[in-house]
Amino acid sequence: MAVENGAAAGGAALFGEGELQDVSGVSLGESFVEVTCGCTSARYGDSVGRLRIYASGELEVIRCECTPGCDEEKLSLSAFEKHSGRGTAGKWQNTVWVIVKGEKVALSKTGLLKFYHKKLRSANVAGNLRGGRRACHRDEFIRCASCGKERRFRLRTKEECRLYHDAAAARHGWTCHDLSPAGRMSCDDEEERASRRPSRGCARAAACVGCERCVCFGCEICRFADCSCQTCVDFYHNSN
């Protein structure tokens, strides 16, 4: 196993030595593992990237290396699949591959998705407790009242959901400066490219505009017991 940038204890704890020893391009981080991945198009050939696997179950192609000048980064696997030119976008578990013993092997045939599947099972349990549907959260955008740029809010963790929840409550007065204490962004940062905005983290399709897999109407991740807004109050009142 080729480990880049040293072996961080956090990343090393995610998978056993035997699970990664034959995978190419392995790099260990604080709470993630990176591997070389790719997707093959009949028209464009192989598109290669760096897949980051988080302990939370999140999967992200942090950098696309399909061409020397490609600047695509932080892509969902569905978005990476679409970017590579695959006509079957939405089936990334079978079309995105990693190199194992020198051969291309679909992610679904490796053990690299174990945290992703655990996340789905946990979400299904939470969904059953909250009305029988899986709690998912697509990315949302809010426009800065100062610079006028639209900013993406990822809603994968409770902390991220709280940042968006508070920003949405002050939507017409929210500015990039409100996120500066968290080191997220400032008005000087460039706005996200328009071509990337349709990709909002849906597990079904990169450019989904809203479906039962990516829209949540309330769960313990995006509702807060210490918040006095009517949405949160109603959620916890109805759940008792």
Side-chain angles (χ1 to χ4, degrees), residues 77-172:
L77 286 170
S78 290
F80 176 64
E81 181 187 39
K82 183 177 181 180
H83 174 69
S84 72
R86 285 288 303 198
T88 55
K91 300 180 180 179
W92 58 263
Q93 295 190 43
N94 295 318
T95 59
V96 176
W97 42 261
V98 295
I99 302 295
V100 181
K101 294 183 177 179
E103 301 289 334
K104 299 174 185 175
V105 179
L107 281 174
S108 61
K109 296 181 179 179
T110 72
L112 297 175
L113 297 182
K114 69 178 183 179
F115 295 101
Y116 173 78
H117 292 312
K118 285 180 181 178
K119 177 190 172 186
L120 289 184
R121 285 196 293 271
S122 297
N124 276 319
V125 170
N128 289 334
L129 294 175
R130 298 290 185 189
R133 66 185 301 278
R134 180 165 63 89
C136 266
H137 308 90
R138 64 177 179 171
D139 298 348
E140 299 289 353
F141 290 86
I142 293 180
R143 189 176 298 278
C144 173
S146 178
C147 66
K149 298 172 183 174
E150 276 196 320
R151 300 305 192 187
R152 179 186 294 267
F153 285 76
R154 286 170 51 91
L155 308 180
R156 306 298 189 271
T157 67
K158 195 167 184 69
E159 291 75 17
E160 289 174 337
C161 285
R162 186 58 185 259
L163 286 173
Y164 171 71
H165 181 79
D166 292 346
R171 183 180 296 271
H172 299 296

Side-chain angles (χ1 to χ4, degrees), residues 191-218:
E191 187 175 42
E192 184 172 341
R193 295 188 304 276
S195 61
R196 285 283 297 119
R197 287 178 211 155
S199 178
R200 297 176 68 177
C202 177
R204 184 187 66 84
C208 177
V209 296
C211 70
E212 73 278 1
R213 295 190 182 186
C214 71
V215 177
C216 175
F217 294 102

Side-chain angles (χ1 to χ4, degrees), residues 33-112:
V33 169
E34 283 183 23
V35 299
T36 297
C37 71
C39 191
T40 304
S41 163
R43 182 176 182 181
Y44 302 109
D46 292 346
S47 294
V48 179
R50 293 291 296 171
L51 171 63
R52 182 170 291 185
I53 303 162
Y54 295 93
S56 64
E58 291 299 320
L59 304 167
E60 186 175 56
V61 178
I62 60 165
R63 184 174 66 256
C64 179
E65 301 170 347
C66 62
T67 62
C70 182
D71 59 358
E72 293 288 348
E73 58 184 18
K74 296 184 178 180
L75 297 169
S76 69
L77 286 170
S78 290
F80 176 64
E81 181 187 39
K82 183 177 181 180
H83 174 69
S84 72
R86 285 288 303 198
T88 55
K91 300 180 180 179
W92 58 263
Q93 295 190 43
N94 295 318
T95 59
V96 176
W97 42 261
V98 295
I99 302 295
V100 181
K101 294 183 177 179
E103 301 289 334
K104 299 174 185 175
V105 179
L107 281 174
S108 61
K109 296 181 179 179
T110 72
L112 297 175

